[in-house]
């Protein structure tokens, strides 16, 4: 046993999988930390010492972190929450005597379609067109400032598109297929800088104990280079659909409030949790809004690609993880083919109408 680890955001996709892998691995005494008690539902099957604490409440977090040698900060949220949950978590960790905090940032700090040659040394901007990216950049900066004046070691991880069972990139695409609203920009030929969720959790465990990781940031990804079509074609096939039948979307005309709302990942998760009839009504309203009055009543509409997806689906650069390999010893533990097999197995388990 290598000590007790608190996982902040344990009710989310990545946090939940981290709880599962670390608890089953037996190397750590895992303490899930969630904002609401019901978020402990999945973790409760391991009879762990779960705690309820708001990620922006320093006092509550200190109590949740007490007795832990490490903290995994996997909390999601809107841009304000992303930034607002940094200082309380760091100061709570320091007050609780935590040695290291591993923060899950995102490869999106480099943009959804990074320029060729982009790596951890590339200059970050907090003036990008997507609010989520800017929030992650500012969160990283604030965390490193706190490290300069504090005692808690910090390691920052920048995963790309995290896929696998329960991933919103998989479940969300399956929902859109079933609703007849799925699309890929340019056929999904762009590079998907993806990482299977188990590979990410493996990297987290390395960052918890590597002497080299303090004050460093690491890009993370799968070993293989694959496109969005490579990632999503098996999902379509499992549901009896083909990517060849998807329409080429129109481009979003308005980059104001709608774009900003689409960039709020918790909001997207809320929408996905709604009953299908209500989701269909919301999507229909969105299409009406984006199409404008000139096309009203003119028959079936083309889907409208968000700015985020337009950039992602046209990405032409495979982000490297050489630094993580050399300093953390990171090497993916699950290859892309096996990741796909497990993901398709989950689709059937989750109740999607899998045909093969």
């Amino acid at each position: 046993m290598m000590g007790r680890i608190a996982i902040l955001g344990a009710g989310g996709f990545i946090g939940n999988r981290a709880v599962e892998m670390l608890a089953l691995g037996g190397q750590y005494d895992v303490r899930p930390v969630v904002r609401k008690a019901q978020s402990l539902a999945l973790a409760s099957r391991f009879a762990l010492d779960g705690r309820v604490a708001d990620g922006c409440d320093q006092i509550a977090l200190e109590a949740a972190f007490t007795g832990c040698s490490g903290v995994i900060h996997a909390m999601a949220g809107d841009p304000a929450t992303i930034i607002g949950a940094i200082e309380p978590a760091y100061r709570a960790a320091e007050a609780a005597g935590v040695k290291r905090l591993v923060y899950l940032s995102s490869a999106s700090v480099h943009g959804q379609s990074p320029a060729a040659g982009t790596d951890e040394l590339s200059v970050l901007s907090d003036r990008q067109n997507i609010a989520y990216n800017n929030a992650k950049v500012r969160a990283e900066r604030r965390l490193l400032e706190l490290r300069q004046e504090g005692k808690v070691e910090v390691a920052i991880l920048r995963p790309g598109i995290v896929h696998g069972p329960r991933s919103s990139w998989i479940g969300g695409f399956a929902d859109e297929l079933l609703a007849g609203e799925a699309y890929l920009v340019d056929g999904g030929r762009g590079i998907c800088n993806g990482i299977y969720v188990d590979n990410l959790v493996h990297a987290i465990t390395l960052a918890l104990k590597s002497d080299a990781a303090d004050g460093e940031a690491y890009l993370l990804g799968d070993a293989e280079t694959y496109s969005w079509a490579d990632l999503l074609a098996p999902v379509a096939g499992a549901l009896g659909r083909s990517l060849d039948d998807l329409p080429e979307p129109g481009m979003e005309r308005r980059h104001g409030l709608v774009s900003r709302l689409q960039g709020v990942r918790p909001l997207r998760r809320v929408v996905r949790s709604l009953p299908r009839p209500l989701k269909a009504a919301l999507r229909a309203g969105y299409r009406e809004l984006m199409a404008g009055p000139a096309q009203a009543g003119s028959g079936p509409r083309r889907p409208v690609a968000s700015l985020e997806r337009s950039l992602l689906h046209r990405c032409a650069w495979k982000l490297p993880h050489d630094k993580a390999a050399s300093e953390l010893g990171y090497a993916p533990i699950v290859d892309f083919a096996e990741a796909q097999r497990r993901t398709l197995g989950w689709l059937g388990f989750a109740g999607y109408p899998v045909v093969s």
Side-chain angles (χ1 to χ4, degrees), residues 13 63 77 124 132 267:
F13 161 51
L124 302 184
Y132 174 82
L267 180 59

Side-chain angles (χ1 to χ4, degrees), residues 59-190:
I59 295 175
L61 290 176
E62 180 182 338
F65 295 165
T66 295
C68 296
S69 59
V71 170
I72 299 169
H73 192 319
M75 184 176 157
D78 60 24
T81 302
I82 288 170
I83 298 170
I86 291 296
E87 184 160 344
Y90 187 89
R91 297 204 182 282
E94 188 162 53
V98 170
K99 182 176 188 294
R100 176 165 295 182
L101 186 153
V102 175
Y103 178 62
L104 292 191
S105 182
S106 169
S108 293
V109 297
H110 298 287
Q112 275 69 15
S113 187
T118 296
D119 62 14
E120 291 91 341
L121 296 177
S122 300
V123 176
L124 302 184
S125 170
D126 63 355
R127 296 179 179 276
Q128 302 180 47
N129 289 329
I130 296 178
Y132 174 82
N133 303 358
N134 298 328
K136 283 295 189 183
V137 171
R138 292 166 188 160
E140 285 193 15
R141 289 174 179 168
R142 183 60 187 136
L143 193 54
L144 292 175
E145 289 173 356
L146 291 164
R147 174 63 185 109
Q148 290 298 312
E149 62 189 47
K151 296 180 180 178
V152 180
E153 299 173 353
V154 168
I156 296 172
L157 303 183
R158 297 174 181 167
I161 302 298
V162 186
H163 61 91
R166 300 197 293 260
S167 164
S168 61
W169 295 103
I170 300 299
F173 182 72
D175 288 343
E176 290 178 356
L177 275 173
L178 295 176
E181 296 169 352
Y183 66 87
L184 290 173
V185 179
D186 292 345
R189 291 186 290 273

Side-chain angles (χ1 to χ4, degrees), residues 189-244:
R189 291 186 290 273
I191 293 172
C192 175
N193 279 297
I195 179 170
Y196 184 63
V197 63
D198 288 15
N199 292 332
L200 173 55
V201 176
H202 173 57
I204 291 171
T205 64
L206 297 172
L208 280 170
K209 56 192 178 187
S210 169
D211 292 336
D214 184 25
E216 298 293 333
Y218 299 94
L219 286 163
L220 295 167
D222 292 330
E224 301 86 351
T225 298
Y226 50 87
S227 69
W228 282 89
D230 294 331
L231 176 70
L232 297 174
V235 177
L239 299 177
R241 315 297 169 89
S242 170
L243 297 187
D244 293 337

